[in-house]
Amino acid sequence: MFGTHDLALFILSALLLNMAPGPDSLLIMTRSASQGWRAGSAAALGIGAGTCVHILAAALGLSALLATSATAFTLVKLIGAAYLIYIGLRMLLAQRPNSAPNKNPSALEALPYRRIFLQGFLTNVLNPKVALFFLAFVPQFIAPEAEHKALAFVLLGLIFNLSSLLWCHFLAFFTAYARSKLRVSRSAKLWLTRLIGGLFAALGVKLALAEHA
């Protein structure tokens, strides 16, 4: 249909792949736990916007540059890694939250939703491995005889992104709900924030050390 094949298998695979943990999921859970589901939703929408950039770039052949040019891959990789490490360091350096009732009870600094959206967007769009993933995964479900392969690629990419948004919003709601039911001390929240910051920094280092495929 529309130049694709095994669509049901693609949807199932996309859902399972989106459930795999990574920087995107970590950001959504962190923001949902600190500011509620709306903040997690803002991060998820930013990630979805970043995915749309990868989809269009891959469909237009721009992502092929990352696959063939070690210089381009390394440049984007280092920028993305630096951004993840920056987020991680901000969390690692978090201070004990103010005890005043009108202050954010989380150790993590509260941000406007537009900035959280931008965080999600940059976390996703600056990861060259996402671009390479689309180049490697999506074409497997495009029929060789398809007349408009780019259109089929965009269609499959949007289906993938829709499943991603559904999962990410479930993650945001679930994390916010769990946060409302759990009673965690301020000191524990501080150390949890620092632990998550360490994970972000580690993911940044891992991305920086990733080799060009």
Side-chain angles (χ1 to χ4, degrees), residues 109-153:
E109 176 190 5
L111 294 177
Y113 293 152
R114 64 179 180 276
R115 283 191 60 187
I116 297 174
F117 177 93
L118 183 60
Q119 272 191 342
F121 177 79
L122 292 176
T123 299
N124 184 274
V125 83
L126 291 177
N127 189 346
K129 288 189 146 315
V130 177
L132 298 184
F133 163 78
F134 275 109
L135 284 176
F137 177 68
V138 176
Q140 298 179 48
F141 297 89
I142 298 177
E145 69 277 7
E147 185 176 354
H148 302 290
K149 288 184 172 60
L151 186 60
F153 194 106

Side-chain angles (χ1 to χ4, degrees), residues 24 46-56 124 130 134 157 160-161 164:
D24 293 345
I47 290 164
T51 302
C52 285
V53 172
H54 284 298
I55 293 167
L56 292 176
N124 184 274
V130 177
F134 275 109
F160 184 94
N161 202 15
S164 173

Side-chain angles (χ1 to χ4, degrees), residues 50-69:
T51 302
C52 285
V53 172
H54 284 298
I55 293 167
L56 292 176
L60 295 173
L62 297 178
S63 291
L65 178 64
L66 292 176
T68 57
S69 171

